[in-house]
Amino acid sequence: MKIALDEKHYLNSDQYCYWISCLVTSTNKQTGAEKTVERRVSGYARTFSDAVTSFIENRIRTSESAEICDLKREVEQLRKTVQGWEVRK
């Protein structure tokens, strides 16, 4: 399964687990050519909820914030992103 969560995030699954991937643009250092690739941004998880938790924890762990107020803003932005993934009818 592969379901779009927003413009660049996808929920993926197989028979064993869930994971979240993200479209990112990478640039070839030698040619300068840009290419859009899909990268896994969460761990492999048993449930969707665990995949979202893994995504958030990974983003916080890899944050380059130097001040607590910067980290707070980053967490608030993450919250908005994840809340945007709510199921819409």
Side-chain angles (χ1 to χ4, degrees):
M1 164 181 73
K2 184 173 186 172
I3 298 173
L5 297 171
D6 60 21
E7 303 84 37
K8 63 181 184 175
H9 292 95
Y10 293 89
L11 171 65
N12 304 276
S13 72
D14 59 20
Q15 67 268 30
Y16 303 108
C17 62
Y18 295 89
W19 65 95
I20 296 172
S21 61
C22 180
L23 295 177
V24 294
T25 303
S26 64
T27 304
N28 185 313
K29 292 180 182 178
Q30 295 175 350
T31 65
E34 289 189 347
K35 180 170 92 172
T36 300
V37 295
E38 192 171 345
R39 290 212 175 112
R40 186 176 51 82
V41 293
S42 75
Y44 297 107
R46 291 183 61 171
T47 66
F48 172 66
S49 177
D50 290 344
V52 171
T53 299
S54 173
F55 169 74
I56 292 169
E57 288 176 356
N58 184 39
R59 293 286 299 267
I60 292 170
R61 276 194 307 268
T62 59
S63 172
E64 295 182 8
S65 297
E67 301 286 331
I68 192 69
C69 59
D70 296 335
L71 182 61
K72 180 182 179 218
R73 273 193 292 275
E74 196 170 329
V75 169
E76 288 170 352
Q77 183 59 43
L78 274 170
R79 183 178 294 127
K80 287 179 188 176
T81 298
V82 172
Q83 286 173 346
W85 296 347
E86 291 180 7
V87 177
R88 296 186 180 124
K89 294 181 181 180

